[in-house]
Amino acid sequence: MQLGTRWSSGDEPPAAVPAALRAQIAAVDRLLPADQLAHQPTPRWTLTWLEGRPIAELDTGVIVSLDADGEAVVRKDDDTGIS
């Protein structure tokens, strides 16, 4: 069994976050507009595991996961209710 974890956007991901996801997570963090974040709580990442694969989801609905080839991919969850 693998446990998930949470951390704030912009912080160093915990050791439990696989190296394969780290570069894309950092890229997403760099894209968050600083002026927007100044007026809202810092979004947090949640690492979970589905069928042995890591999935990191940001509170904003951005998801970083591994594809079938083990490459990190970034997508937006369109079912977040965030507009």
Side-chain angles (χ1 to χ4, degrees):
M1 178 204 285
Q2 291 179 295
L3 298 176
T5 188
R6 286 181 55 83
W7 70 99
S8 294
S9 176
D11 289 353
E12 181 70 24
V17 177
L21 297 182
R22 289 175 177 266
Q24 290 301 328
I25 289 170
V28 170
D29 283 345
R30 285 191 301 272
L31 291 175
L32 294 175
D35 61 334
Q36 180 184 10
L37 294 178
H39 304 292
Q40 298 178 21
T42 302
R44 293 181 50 84
W45 287 97
T46 302
L47 175 69
T48 57
W49 298 83
L50 180 61
E51 297 179 358
R53 287 189 177 167
I55 301 169
E57 183 170 2
L58 191 59
D59 291 341
T60 62
V62 174
I63 298 170
V64 180
S65 60
L66 298 180
D67 65 12
D69 296 324
E71 297 293 320
V73 293
V74 178
R75 65 182 174 89
K76 176 85 165 121
D77 182 0
D78 293 330
D79 192 28
T80 61
I82 299 172
S83 52

